[in-house]
């Protein structure tokens, strides 16, 4: 599976990305910073987002088309009252699944290591998942050096070597916390496609974290690293649309997690049936 996960609710997510995805029949997840969208909170340091935020009506249009709308905070922070305010607004706009709300961590601050400190926030608000950034394996020093090298060289091999650690496989150590691969200005569609081709054999799930999708004429183009070229994005979407759904399914974060957990339960059932209930309970504890 692959998920196209857009942060913030940027104007170009609707104007550029949504338009391209509709053309190829794809859906994704938009993690909305509600205070920015409704104008109650302003942004001053996102150069690639100079054109501002989506409107509430545009968020609704994406939701009605089939996109998942998830929380990204009301003012782009992780705090209980801020999260609550965001969810209240999303529910009021009628764009969030009340039974399966998700949260994308602003600045990818949340990790499996510090999750315990904020877990009560999510339990209180029935949050089903937290999408964060690169996995902890990618944050070690040798991997940081690899990240810099793939960034400088544009190598697809180095890209795969680094980003494969963000691919989600069963068994999962923490099914609540979902890592994502940050796709930025210097990356190419070919790099991403080769990563996804590799993931077919491993049957892994890749969440691609995207911010702005910009055309070269846009004012924010070239102003920071938090955007991807619209032509590269279109090339990826075109390739995805041509793949057999038995090989690669383009899904929202919510659907991806549900599919993963269903497969997890099926795997437990297979183990139970094959080795017997008493032994299987111990075996499943080791596997899952």
């Amino acid at each position: 599976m692959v998920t196209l996960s857009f942060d913030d609710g940027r104007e170009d997510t609707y104007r550029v990305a949504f338009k391209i995805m509709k053309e190829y029949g794809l859906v994704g997840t938009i993690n909305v910073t509600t205070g920015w969208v409704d104008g109650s909170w302003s942004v001053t340091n996102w150069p690639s987002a100079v054109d501002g935020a989506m409107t509430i009506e545009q968020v609704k249009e994406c939701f009605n088309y089939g996109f998942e709308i998830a929380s990204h905070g009301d003012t782009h922070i992780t705090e209980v009252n801020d999260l609550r305010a965001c969810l209240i607004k999303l529910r009021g706009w009628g764009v969030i699944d009340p039974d399966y709300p998700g949260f994308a961590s602003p600045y990818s601050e949340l990790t499996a290591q510090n999750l315990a400190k904020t877990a009560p926030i999510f339990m209180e608000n029935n949050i089903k998942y937290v999408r964060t950034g690169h996995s902890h394996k990618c944050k070690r020093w040798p991997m940081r050096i690899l990240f810099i090298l793939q960034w400088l060289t544009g190598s697809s091999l180095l890209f795969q070597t680094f980003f494969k650690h963000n691919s989600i496989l069963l068994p999962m150590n923490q099914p609540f916390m979902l890592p994502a691969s940050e796709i930025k200005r210097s990356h190419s569609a070919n790099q991403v496609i080769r990563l996804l081709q590799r993931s077919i054999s491993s049957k892994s799930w890749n969440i691609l974290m995207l911010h702005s999708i910009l055309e070269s004429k846009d004012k924010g183009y070239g102003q920071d690293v938090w955007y991807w070229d619209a032509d590269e994005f279109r090339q990826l979407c075109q390739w995805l649309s041509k793949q057999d759904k038995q090989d690669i399914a383009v899904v929202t974060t919510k659907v991806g997690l549900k599919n993963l957990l269903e497969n997890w339960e099926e795997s437990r059932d297979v183990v139970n049936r094959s080795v017997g209930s008493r032994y299987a309970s111990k075996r499943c504890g080791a596997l899952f």
Side-chain angles (χ1 to χ4, degrees):
M1 299 182 293
V2 61
T3 296
L4 305 176
S5 178
F6 300 87
D7 280 4
D8 307 322
R10 301 180 177 215
E11 178 270 348
D12 55 80
T13 298
Y14 176 82
R15 174 175 54 85
V16 184
F18 180 52
K19 178 181 177 181
I20 293 173
M21 292 174 72
K22 281 203 303 181
E23 180 180 343
Y24 293 104
L26 305 176
V27 294
T29 296
I30 304 175
N31 309 294
V32 174
T33 302
T34 49
W36 190 35
V37 168
D38 70 10
S40 61
W41 178 76
S42 60
V43 172
T44 58
N45 60 345
W46 293 352
S48 58
V50 65
D51 288 320
M54 300 169 65
T55 67
I56 295 174
E57 289 306 313
Q58 289 170 346
V59 173
K60 290 181 178 179
E61 184 178 341
C62 292
F63 174 76
N64 290 332
Y65 179 77
F67 276 56
E68 176 193 9
I69 306 299
S71 169
H72 201 43
D74 189 49
T75 62
H76 206 260
I77 60 174
T78 302
E79 191 271 332
V80 61
N81 293 321
D82 190 83
L83 175 58
R84 186 183 296 117
C86 179
L87 292 173
I88 289 172
K89 289 180 180 180
L90 292 176
R91 289 167 184 150
W93 301 345
V95 296
I96 194 169
D97 182 346
D99 298 322
Y100 218 93
F103 178 72
S105 171
Y107 304 111
S108 300
E109 292 175 333
L110 289 176
T111 65
Q113 287 69 38
N114 64 23
L115 177 62
K117 298 179 180 179
T118 49
I121 298 175
F122 305 118
M123 293 177 66
E124 176 186 338
N125 291 280
N126 193 35
I127 297 296
K128 299 299 184 184
Y129 69 81
V130 173
R131 196 229 66 201
T132 184
H134 295 311
S135 76
H136 71 281
K137 292 180 181 179
C138 294
K139 297 175 182 178
R140 299 169 182 169
W141 272 112
M143 295 303 295
R144 292 182 185 182
I145 295 172
L146 182 61
F147 177 79
I148 294 171
L149 288 174
Q150 64 84 27
W151 181 279
L152 292 174
T153 64
S155 167
S156 293
L157 178 60
L158 293 179
F159 181 91
Q160 290 179 61
T161 304
F162 177 82
F163 282 89
K164 69 180 182 180
H165 295 289
N166 300 312
S167 298
I168 302 171
L169 287 161
L170 289 176
M172 298 169 65
N173 292 328
Q174 176 52 266
F176 181 77
M177 182 73 67
L178 304 176
S181 293
E182 299 171 356
I183 307 302
K184 301 179 183 177
R185 178 176 67 182
S186 69
H187 295 134
S188 70
N190 285 333
Q191 287 178 313
V192 178
I193 288 170
R194 291 187 181 182
L195 174 70
L196 298 180
Q197 287 173 327
R198 176 188 176 278
S199 299
I200 293 175
S201 59
S202 62
K203 297 183 178 179
S204 57
W205 176 25
N206 290 275
I207 301 176
L208 306 181
M209 183 201 301
L210 301 156
H211 289 78
S212 284
I213 304 296
L214 298 179
E215 299 173 336
S216 58
K217 63 182 180 182
D218 288 328
K219 290 181 289 185
Y221 196 94
Q223 298 304 306
D224 61 25
V225 301
W226 297 104
Y227 75 91
W228 205 26
D229 184 89
D231 290 337
E232 298 290 340
F233 182 71
R234 176 180 291 279
Q235 183 179 337
L236 173 63
C237 290
Q238 185 178 46
W239 181 82
L240 287 170
S241 70
K242 294 179 179 179
Q243 303 311 300
D244 189 321
K245 289 182 173 57
Q246 297 299 315
D247 290 332
I248 293 183
V250 181
V251 297
T252 64
T253 312
K254 176 181 73 173
V255 171
L257 182 59
K258 284 185 174 182
N259 288 345
L260 203 71
L261 294 178
E262 286 175 5
N263 287 336
W264 198 347
E265 291 301 321
E266 288 176 6
S267 298
R268 287 175 183 265
D269 291 341
V270 169
V271 172
N272 280 327
R273 289 195 300 269
S274 62
V275 300
S277 59
R278 179 175 296 182
Y279 176 69
S281 62
K282 297 179 181 179
R283 180 66 174 166
C284 285
L287 290 175
F288 301 103

